[in-house]
Amino acid sequence: MTQETAVLSAKPEMALESAAVRKVFVKTYGCQMNVYDSDRMTDALAKDGYVATDVMEDADLVLLNTCHIREKAAEKVYSALGRLRELKKKKAGEGREMMIGVAGCVAQAEGDEILRRAPAVDLVIGPQTYHRLPEALKRVKRGERVLETDYAIEDKFEHLPAPDKAKTRARGVTAFLTVQEGCDKFCTFCVVPYTRGSEVSRPVAQIVSEAQKLVDGGVREITLLGQNVNAWHGSGPNGEKWGLGELLHRLSEIEGLARLRYTTSHPRDMDDSLIAAHRDLPQLMPYLHLPIQSGSNRILKAMNRRHTTAEYIALIARIKAARPDLALSGDFIVGFPGETDEDFADTLSLVETVGYAQAFSFKYSTRPGTPGADLEDQVPEDVKANRLERLQALLLKQQHAFAEQCVGKTIDLLLEKPGRMPGQLIGRSPWLQSVNVDAKSSQIGDIIRVRITGTGPNSLFAEVVS
Ligand code: 5AD
Ligand code: SF4
């Protein structure tokens, strides 16, 4: 059959399909990898005639893509499910069916519990089995309540469709690309090794092909994702061993791909070739998310982080020697079991020493099944709250200082979306800041030279440099 006849004969089917259009509403909680996974699930469902909707009430299928990292995140799911049960009942009264699915790390960790506690849920699907989603929905249609949470042997990425051009265009000029999943580090506070399983790296060819598709769809900046992204490893064209540094080199050869980032990294896995990539690749943005979690060596040991504060500080010095304009971001946990006032003071002093452009900080949340949950000496809630407040005040001060320090600098700005005022656009700086600029003769996707003129509460202001 020629291509033309294929197109002609496809027409009546398309008409039939549009009559049977079904709508999916996906709510994403948690990390960037969930954002990426939600898009892949939406793409997989598109093949079955589902279109995405932003209006939950209109949906034939509601999918909650959940996060289990802290107790609060997991509890949000159950309250959302309570509201969804009412909506499902209301729609059933109007003769409209609505399926409810729970995906993500809560699905993986508490699948049976969800089915028991939330009778309105039709489907529970863990992160390793998203490629089975269309089949699972068929089983739901046949009246089953489905639980798919085994660690699939087959590679989910081989089966999940890569983003097509139209969808990529609609999603904007920056994109995530998962290159690695799972974690073998077993920090004693963290559920990830249990919910996402052990480390798996995607093969080079799969990653390059997906990156190329994203660029063909207008993407200018790609952030490589992995729970422990710098543990990514693979093989080069001649079978030689590649680490993330080599992968970044390969991706930087893609024409039109202007910017690369990667997240989240473990300090133990920053190897020489990755540090060299920061020196050698102009596409690799000078911004690194490198969590340490605590500034106390005693607590780092109890957390099983397998590095000291001195090693972390020395590592940062090496990366900064390779890329002097590098800015840092981090994650911190306060109130890990046994954390004393002195340990906390060490965290504040580490933050002072390093100086972060941005950082995320959390109260320790006991996660069932992790070694931290069995430790005695849990820190009282009010102590955690007080420490968090003090740490966040310091981090915010550093974030503002970093922004102030940008004023007067001329930088490259990737234009991402329209601003509030006519002619105004919002762009992304090399250090992940939002920057407002009047740039009437430029368009989204352009990278332009601008001078930073001022700071606002959450963004910067700039003028075009001709
Ligand atoms: N309690 C609080 N914060 C946690 N994180 C991971 N597990 C916990 C927990 N049990 C934080 C860490 C990690 C980030 C993604 O979430 O700082 O880097
Ligand atoms: Fe969790 Fe990150 Fe530690 Fe892995 S390295 S266990 S994902 S905190």
Side-chain angles (χ1 to χ4, degrees):
M1 198 181 349
T2 66
Q3 230 178 345
E4 273 142 289
T5 54
V7 170
L8 280 175
S9 68
K11 274 189 179 159
E13 279 169 31
M14 277 164 61
L16 268 180
E17 253 181 37
S18 62
V21 147
R22 285 171 289 185
K23 292 186 179 164
V24 57
F25 175 90
V26 185
K27 167 99 181 137
T28 308
Y29 301 84
C31 65
Q32 294 114 319
M33 194 172 286
N34 270 8
V35 174
Y36 176 87
D37 281 344
S38 288
D39 284 347
R40 291 292 77 70
M41 283 192 274
T42 311
D43 296 346
L45 290 169
K47 289 194 159 178
D48 278 2
Y50 278 93
V51 294
T53 174
D54 292 337
V55 187
M56 192 191 272
E57 286 71 18
D58 287 352
D60 303 282
L61 167 64
V62 174
L63 265 181
L64 304 182
N65 192 4
T66 63
C67 171
H68 200 245
I69 200 93
R70 284 168 290 276
E71 191 177 359
K72 232 194 216 160
E75 275 309 315
K76 273 187 198 161
V77 178
Y78 289 103
S79 48
L81 286 175
R83 292 192 298 274
L84 275 174
R85 184 184 57 191
E86 294 307 312
L87 181 60
K88 183 171 179 160
K89 218 193 285 172
K90 180 171 162 254
K91 289 186 75 162
E94 296 161 0
R96 288 151 66 205
E97 191 197 15
M98 189 180 88
M99 289 184 284
I100 301 176
V102 180
C105 291
V106 181
Q108 189 65 38
E110 300 181 9
D112 294 313
E113 171 84 354
I114 293 168
L115 289 179
R116 197 181 57 76
R117 265 176 76 174
V121 170
D122 301 288
L123 162 74
V124 172
I125 188 155
Q128 283 78 22
T129 49
Y130 292 154
H131 51 296
R132 299 193 200 146
L133 182 59
E135 185 52 40
L137 286 175
K138 282 188 195 133
R139 286 164 57 198
V140 171
K141 287 261 179 212
R142 293 198 293 266
E144 252 184 85
R145 289 183 88 202
V146 175
L147 177 70
E148 279 276 11
T149 52
D150 58 327
Y151 291 94
I153 310 158
E154 68 270 46
D155 175 6
K156 81 173 187 192
F157 294 111
E158 240 175 60
H159 296 81
L160 282 175
D164 68 29
K165 232 184 203 178
K167 286 206 188 71
T168 300
R169 276 203 192 286
R171 284 172 187 155
V173 295
T174 61
F176 295 128
L177 199 176
T178 294
V179 299
Q180 182 277 336
E181 265 204 70
C183 183
D184 296 341
K185 285 284 187 287
F186 289 93
C187 300
T188 52
F189 52 81
C190 185
V191 286
V192 166
Y194 311 95
T195 55
R196 291 275 174 170
S198 54
E199 288 172 3
V200 177
S201 295
R202 290 180 72 185
V204 175
Q206 227 182 63
I207 296 167
V208 171
S209 142
E210 190 166 320
Q212 184 65 60
K213 285 201 177 99
L214 290 171
V215 171
D216 293 345
V219 166
R220 308 290 326 271
E221 173 179 309
I222 293 180
T223 303
L224 307 182
L225 297 181
Q227 265 91 29
N228 193 12
V229 72
N230 55 349
W232 179 91
H233 56 93
S235 311
N238 303 314
E240 67 277 30
K241 278 195 176 155
W242 274 16
L244 192 62
E246 286 78 18
L247 179 66
L248 287 162
H249 270 274
R250 173 64 190 88
L251 292 172
S252 71
E253 289 167 11
I254 295 178
E255 210 172 308
L257 179 51
R259 290 178 164 194
L260 287 162
R261 303 176 189 273
Y262 61 93
T263 195
T264 290
S265 299
H266 192 287
R268 284 277 299 228
D269 292 332
M270 291 297 302
D271 65 17
D272 291 345
S273 102
L274 183 52
I275 295 174
H278 279 280
R279 182 193 60 214
D280 299 335
L281 296 178
Q283 293 92 335
L284 187 54
M285 289 293 98
Y287 184 83
L288 179 63
H289 185 60
L290 192 66
I292 182 167
Q293 314 294 353
S294 166
S296 151
N297 285 325
R298 213 175 60 79
I299 296 296
L300 287 178
K301 194 152 195 246
M303 286 175 163
N304 190 33
R305 290 290 294 179
R306 296 186 253 180
H307 57 77
T308 61
T309 52
E311 284 163 346
Y312 178 79
I313 291 166
L315 172 63
I316 288 173
R318 280 173 62 213
I319 311 168
K320 281 196 169 175
R323 184 79 203 233
D325 60 344
L326 185 103
L328 280 152
S329 142
D331 289 339
F332 293 90
I333 295 176
V334 298
F336 185 79
E339 186 188 71
T340 62
D341 284 343
E342 256 181 18
D343 294 318
F344 177 64
D346 287 346
T347 297
L348 293 179
S349 112
L350 175 110
V351 170
E352 294 279 10
T353 304
V354 172
Y356 289 89
Q358 206 200 350
F360 305 92
S361 48
F362 315 95
K363 286 188 276 186
Y364 171 69
S365 167
T366 311
R367 306 313 293 129
T370 61
D374 298 329
L375 294 175
E376 284 168 15
D377 227 356
Q378 298 280 333
V379 174
E381 209 40 48
D382 58 331
V383 176
K384 285 188 207 172
N386 177 277
R387 287 180 188 164
L388 186 66
E389 204 176 300
R390 289 165 60 199
L391 176 60
Q392 289 188 336
L394 175 59
L395 291 169
L396 195 64
K397 199 176 92 187
Q398 293 194 340
Q399 188 180 331
H400 288 158
F402 181 76
E404 284 299 335
Q405 188 195 303
C406 292
V407 176
K409 277 190 186 156
T410 299
I411 63 161
D412 285 338
L413 188 67
L414 169 59
L415 298 173
E416 260 197 300
K417 53 190 174 199
R420 279 209 207 122
M421 308 296 170
Q424 198 181 56
L425 291 168
I426 300 176
R428 188 182 272 202
S429 83
W431 305 284
L432 269 190
Q433 299 141 304
S434 279
V435 182
N436 303 285
V437 64
D438 282 321
K440 288 181 193 64
S441 53
S442 304
Q443 53 186 14
I444 288 167
D446 288 351
I447 295 179
I448 60 171
R449 293 292 284 169
V450 301
R451 185 178 307 110
I452 306 294
T453 53
T455 64
N458 298 309
S459 59
L460 302 174
F461 298 94
E463 62 191 13
V464 176
V465 175
S466 50

